Amino acid sequence: MAYSGLRGLRTAWLGYSPEWTAGMRRHRAAAGAAAGVLFLCTLIPYAGFPALCAAALCCTGLYADNEPLSLLLLPERGSARILVGKVLTAWRNYFLAAAPFALLALLAHPRTAWMAAAWIPFAALVLMYAVLAKYARYDPSTEHPKLSGTTRVGYLGFLVPLFLPVTLCLIVAYALRAERNLNRYLYDYD
């Protein structure tokens, strides 16, 4: 039984994700504070779902650091399957953590149900972008890589709708680059 450093929280519940496990271990106080803020925001009309969108943006910080290559080699899968698994794990972890707050927001303010229709694809897109951007620039020798200007413009697309088409184009470009980049490390290409 592996524990992640929080009482009762097993790493298996986080899909053995090194990003989420390390984030929960390092930032226990921040996770607790975020849960408290989300709880308070769900009690305020029309603030619950925007707060959940902000939480999704904050969760992208979990994908700032690179994990060791040995963790990527462990499941013995190809790069495309690794990327799909990483995106699905990010979605699962976020939506399972956000579900109680979304339910509370819906129960406290049923008129805000229409906002959930925008929050779900927004959060899914933000987390997919974070995963693909991380593995597009993945280098196991660099633990804390710097964000490029292009990646920052992509994140700006989630805050300023004018830049959203750029972000969508970057998702496609990062998906292709991430697969090529991971293939280079998984199969020892020169």
Side-chain angles (χ1 to χ4, degrees), residues 46-132:
Y46 297 100
F49 289 109
L52 287 170
C53 288
L57 280 169
C58 290
C59 285
T60 62
L62 298 171
Y63 294 94
D65 295 338
N66 289 329
E67 71 265 23
L69 182 60
S70 59
L71 291 178
L72 289 177
L73 295 173
L74 196 60
E76 296 180 355
R77 294 184 292 183
S79 59
R81 294 193 72 190
I82 286 174
L83 288 171
V84 168
K86 292 283 187 176
V87 169
L88 292 176
T89 300
W91 287 349
R92 184 193 67 184
N93 290 343
Y94 170 76
F95 285 115
L96 282 177
F101 301 107
L103 184 61
L104 181 61
L106 287 173
L107 291 175
H109 310 287
R111 288 181 161 185
T112 64
W114 65 272
M115 295 178 88
W119 158 66
I120 291 170
F122 176 85
L125 202 60
V126 165
L127 292 167
M128 181 191 310
Y129 180 79
V131 170
L132 294 175

Side-chain angles (χ1 to χ4, degrees), residues 127-157:
L127 292 167
M128 181 191 310
Y129 180 79
V131 170
L132 294 175
K134 172 186 176 175
Y135 290 104
R137 68 181 193 284
Y138 177 78
D139 183 4
S141 64
T142 307
E143 188 175 332
H144 307 290
K146 290 177 61 174
L147 284 180
S148 68
T150 309
T151 304
R152 291 176 192 204
V153 169
Y155 278 117
L156 188 62

